[in-house]
């Protein structure tokens, strides 16, 4: 299971880096253009995914999470820099996991006080799946704005790793 978790995280960051490039192929106006679907503009969506990764990592580590929004990351360069730090924290966390840790459970509370118990592996898979969902939404918007896109299916990542 741990090997698969590491592959999933590697795939996630491979796809996020490719998405960040694609975001650079749209105009600044299109990047911030309001969208009445999902989380909103490309800017809002990409920061939402970054925020979710940081939130879930804090929960997994039992740490307090400091809220942030797209306003805290006004440019794509700011987002790249912030995300690089989050990726490093995720990679450090994953590097220290054992098979037992991955199958373990932890309790977390939402901001509204609701408590949940989750398995570590399920949360990690959720983080990857959540990123995939929003990448698909953003790639459609990027395409509609005339920007470059890519095939984000995991098989493309796996084939690239074999080459």
């Amino acid at each position: 299971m741990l090997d698969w978790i590491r592959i999933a995280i590697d795939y996630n960051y491979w796809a996020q880096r490719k998405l960040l490039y694609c975001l650079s192929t749209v105009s600044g106006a299109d990047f911030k253009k309001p969208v009445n679907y999902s989380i909103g503009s490309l800017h809002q969506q990409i920061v939402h995914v970054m925020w979710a990764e940081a939130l879930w990592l804090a929960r997994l580590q039992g740490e307090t999470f400091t809220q942030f929004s797209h306003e805290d990351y006004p440019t794509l360069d700011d987002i790249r820099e912030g995300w690089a730090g989050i990726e490093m924290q995720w990679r450090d966390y994953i590097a220290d996991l054992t098979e037992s840790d991955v199958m373990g459970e932890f309790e977390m509370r939402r901001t509204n006080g609701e408590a949940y118990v989750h398995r570590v592996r399920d949360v990690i898979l959720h983080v990857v799946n959540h990123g995939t969902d929003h990448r698909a939404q953003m790639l459609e918007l990027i395409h509609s704005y005339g920007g470059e896109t890519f095939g984000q299916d995991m098989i493309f990542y796996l084939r690239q790793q074999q080459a």
Side-chain angles (χ1 to χ4, degrees), residues 94-111:
I94 296 294
D96 291 337
L97 285 180
T98 65
E99 288 287 342
S100 177
D101 294 334
V102 168
M103 298 308 289
E105 295 181 338
F106 73 102
E107 183 176 328
M108 48 116 343
R109 290 197 178 276
R110 294 183 61 194
T111 54

Side-chain angles (χ1 to χ4, degrees), residues 56 103-110 114-120 122-123:
W56 279 109
M103 298 308 289
E105 295 181 338
F106 73 102
E107 183 176 328
M108 48 116 343
R109 290 197 178 276
R110 294 183 61 194
E114 290 176 311
Y116 293 92
V117 175
H118 294 293
R119 275 192 254 184
V120 170
D122 296 342
V123 167

Side-chain angles (χ1 to χ4, degrees), residues 65-137:
F65 179 69
T66 303
Q67 294 286 339
F68 62 84
S69 77
H70 66 283
E71 293 167 351
D72 298 311
Y73 295 88
T75 70
L76 203 49
D77 285 339
D78 294 329
I79 294 165
R80 275 191 193 97
E81 185 178 326
W83 217 327
I86 293 166
E87 177 182 354
M88 188 180 319
Q89 291 170 21
W90 264 103
R91 290 191 180 279
D92 289 346
Y93 174 75
I94 296 294
D96 291 337
L97 285 180
T98 65
E99 288 287 342
S100 177
D101 294 334
V102 168
M103 298 308 289
E105 295 181 338
F106 73 102
E107 183 176 328
M108 48 116 343
R109 290 197 178 276
R110 294 183 61 194
T111 54
N112 67 6
E114 290 176 311
Y116 293 92
V117 175
H118 294 293
R119 275 192 254 184
V120 170
R121 73 160 190 212
D122 296 342
V123 167
I124 295 169
L125 296 177
H126 163 70
V127 167
V128 174
N129 185 63
H130 179 260
T132 302
D133 179 39
H134 283 287
R135 276 192 303 275
Q137 294 170 19

Side-chain angles (χ1 to χ4, degrees), residues 2-39:
L2 190 52
D3 286 343
W4 197 93
I5 292 292
R6 288 185 174 128
I7 290 168
I9 289 294
D10 287 345
Y11 157 73
N12 187 59
Y13 287 112
W14 168 86
Q16 294 299 48
R17 280 189 293 280
K18 290 178 86 62
L19 178 66
L20 287 168
Y21 167 76
C22 293
L23 287 166
S24 73
T25 68
V26 300
S27 71
D30 284 342
F31 180 63
K32 295 194 176 191
K33 184 185 295 182
V35 176
N36 192 21
Y37 178 72
S38 187
I39 303 301

